[in-house]
Amino acid sequence: MSATTTTSSRRRRFRLLALDMNEIGLIVILLLLYFGFGATTNGFLSANNHLSLLRDAASIAIAAWAVTLIIIAGEIDVSVGPMVAFTSVCLAFMLKADVNVALAILAALAIGGALGTFAGSLRAYFGVPSFVATLGMWSALRGMSFFTTNALPVTFPDNAFLDILADNMFGIPTSAIVMLVLFAVFSFISQKTAYGRSIFAVGGNANAAELCGINVARIRVLIFTTSGVMAALAGVLLTARLGSGNAGTASGLEFDVIAAVVIGGTALSGGRGSMLGTLLGVFVITLIGNGLVLRGINPFFQEVVRGVIIVAAVLANILVTRYRERRIFGA
């Protein structure tokens, strides 16, 4: 066996072990958080709180699936929160104008996809860094949402279909069912398709991927288009849950999404990550937020606690990864 083949085999083994170690660590953290809050916080173990946990997790996870692909590709999207709010407002205005609910939802998803495509095109064809492109989108979409609504909720007539989306199915929040279905879809895409492998290749080395025949520009556009559609879908579900479109909704969601993805083990440098890790990261973020609220912690101090936990989790992931790398490549 050649030295190149041996090194390549070790690298594949390292990636698999690093992800496994990270996921095992996250499961341990989740168990500690769950039983810690369960033993010390009134109402945490109630059925209603578990349903609330699933709804809150769905709000983060649906957008996080697409952002995982973006970060694996070595890019970033900070426009998720305003995208959710803007598509929510657009949907509410259409429903208020008596547009058919199916057409209104499709239009909202199309708006999200078009905005995502625009951001992706700026990155792919004009060389605008994805952080700058999506930061501009963040400001423009949040401002447009407040401008068109005068910072007031946009109400619309009762709608039976949106009531279903806001309610439970088989005792589980509909949004959580959507979250799990999309988890299966995105896991399959990332692991079993040529498109998914191309995303990993672009994140690992975009120049090498281009030389191998991968259309890097197209991949970059597609991942941002997907992110726009997923943000719009989160906006639809949030609109159904709140019963109105609100420009101030999903404030800070982009930070929860990125934190969940990074805590889940996806490397900000690109080329490594998993949907299972993101799912576990979503539940870590959700459990922390839910537990702190139930304990009556000052809202401002909650941000401090969450920030410390996020940095600690990411630092632990980096240290474990370096340790495993030394063990494998030093063997």
Side-chain angles (χ1 to χ4, degrees), residues 257-292:
V257 168
I258 293 172
V261 174
V262 175
I263 286 174
T266 300
L268 283 171
S269 57
R272 179 167 63 86
S274 75
M275 293 298 161
L276 178 57
T278 295
L279 177 64
L280 295 173
V282 165
F283 279 113
V284 167
I285 293 292
T286 305
L287 275 176
I288 292 171
N290 180 269
L292 293 177

Side-chain angles (χ1 to χ4, degrees), residues 3 21 31 50 55 65 102 135 157 178 188 194 198 215 240 259 283 300:
M21 287 296 294
L31 291 174
H50 281 75
R55 289 191 184 93
W65 304 146
L135 183 63
V178 173
F188 177 81
S198 297
N215 190 329
F283 279 113
F300 299 112

Side-chain angles (χ1 to χ4, degrees), residues 172-330:
I172 302 173
T174 304
S175 58
I177 294 174
V178 173
M179 171 188 74
L180 294 174
V181 170
L182 289 174
F183 168 73
V185 171
F186 275 84
S187 295
F188 177 81
I189 290 172
S190 64
Q191 296 175 16
K192 304 295 184 181
T193 68
Y195 172 61
R197 289 190 290 272
S198 297
I199 292 172
F200 279 91
V202 170
N205 189 321
N207 291 330
E210 191 81 58
L211 291 174
C212 290
I214 295 173
N215 190 329
V216 173
R218 184 176 65 182
I219 293 295
R220 285 172 172 164
V221 171
L222 284 175
I223 56 177
F224 280 97
T225 301
T226 304
S227 181
V229 173
M230 289 300 99
L233 178 58
V236 170
L237 293 170
L238 197 56
T239 302
R241 181 178 174 182
L242 298 176
S244 65
N246 195 317
T249 196
S251 178
L253 177 64
E254 59 276 7
F255 301 113
D256 285 340
V257 168
I258 293 172
V261 174
V262 175
I263 286 174
T266 300
L268 283 171
S269 57
R272 179 167 63 86
S274 75
M275 293 298 161
L276 178 57
T278 295
L279 177 64
L280 295 173
V282 165
F283 279 113
V284 167
I285 293 292
T286 305
L287 275 176
I288 292 171
N290 180 269
L292 293 177
V293 168
L294 289 179
R295 289 192 62 80
I297 303 298
N298 184 291
F300 299 112
F301 190 69
Q302 287 181 30
E303 299 301 319
V304 177
V305 174
R306 291 174 65 186
V308 170
I309 293 175
I310 288 168
V311 172
V314 174
L315 179 60
N317 175 44
I318 292 172
L319 294 176
V320 168
T321 299
R322 289 178 178 175
Y323 172 75
R324 299 299 300 181
E325 187 173 20
R326 284 196 299 269
R327 287 283 302 274
I328 293 171
F329 292 104

